[in-house]
Amino acid sequence: MIVTIQKLPTTAAEFASMPQMDLTKPENTCAMLLLGLQLYINEKDAGVEAINLLRGPRPLTPYDIQFLRDRLRDKRYLPLAYFDGATPENNYTPLQPLTLQVLSDPRPQDVEDGYFRVFLKTAGADSPRPIKLRRKGENWYLWEYSSILSGIRIPTKDDPWA
């Protein structure tokens, strides 16, 4: 599954009006998570509003917001690191337009009904990271995505050992 993004949103309103906000496609929910995280880095309130759209009837708690803040602190490169072309060597600068490869679950039988698991690959980690989605009506909403926020290799420009 491939999602192509032409432009990063700069406001919550731009985020909400993007064509990829069609959450009937699980790959769109994944791509929009990364855009929401990038928006959070640039404008925290707009990012929270954007991610809440992706969480459906389960908005971020104060603990969730603190988790985002802690995981993204000093890691402005993290959300864009999952798009094609982003590597530690080029400081996680993705190719334009942004393209996200969403990988199928190799063990879908391990996921209960009403949920869907996919994986995102980054050049900054040795293995793809899972995202678990939950269906409500026709839409797929974020359920578990903490692995996406796990550390990856730091950009070469910031690595004193590079």
Side-chain angles (χ1 to χ4, degrees), residues 9-18 21 39 46 49-50 53:
T10 58
T11 65
E14 278 182 25
F15 180 91
S17 67
M18 293 185 71
M21 273 303 291
L39 188 56
E49 186 177 336
L53 291 174

Side-chain angles (χ1 to χ4, degrees), residues 7 11-12 14 17 20 22 33 36 45 51 60 63 66 72 76 84 104 113 129 131 144 146 151 155 157:
K7 180 181 177 285
T11 65
E14 278 182 25
S17 67
Q20 294 80 11
D22 173 8
L33 166 63
D45 291 339
I51 293 169
L60 290 164
Y63 172 80
Q66 180 180 343
L72 294 173
R76 297 182 63 84
D84 285 357
S104 298
D113 286 341
R129 305 282 173 90
I131 294 180
E144 169 54 44
S146 62
K157 72 173 180 64

Side-chain angles (χ1 to χ4, degrees), residues 53-148:
L53 291 174
L54 303 173
R55 289 177 55 104
R58 193 176 62 118
L60 290 164
T61 66
Y63 172 80
D64 295 326
I65 295 168
Q66 180 180 343
F67 184 79
L68 283 177
R69 185 190 71 226
D70 293 346
R71 292 294 186 263
L72 294 173
R73 182 179 309 150
D74 300 326
K75 294 184 184 87
R76 297 182 63 84
Y77 55 85
L78 187 64
L80 297 182
Y82 290 91
F83 289 99
D84 285 357
T87 66
E89 294 76 25
N90 70 9
N91 303 310
Y92 295 110
T93 304
L95 299 171
Q96 297 293 325
L98 298 173
T99 304
L100 180 68
Q101 307 279 335
V102 180
L103 308 174
S104 298
D105 187 351
R107 298 193 46 87
Q109 66 273 19
D110 292 347
V111 180
E112 56 271 24
D113 286 341
Y115 295 85
F116 189 65
R117 185 173 55 197
V118 294
F119 290 81
L120 303 183
K121 188 167 177 38
T122 173
D126 295 330
S127 58
R129 305 282 173 90
I131 294 180
K132 191 173 185 180
L133 306 171
R134 184 172 183 181
R135 179 174 243 158
K136 179 169 174 60
E138 295 295 314
N139 291 340
W140 290 100
Y141 294 103
L142 294 172
W143 190 253
E144 169 54 44
Y145 52 93
S146 62
S147 293
I148 298 300

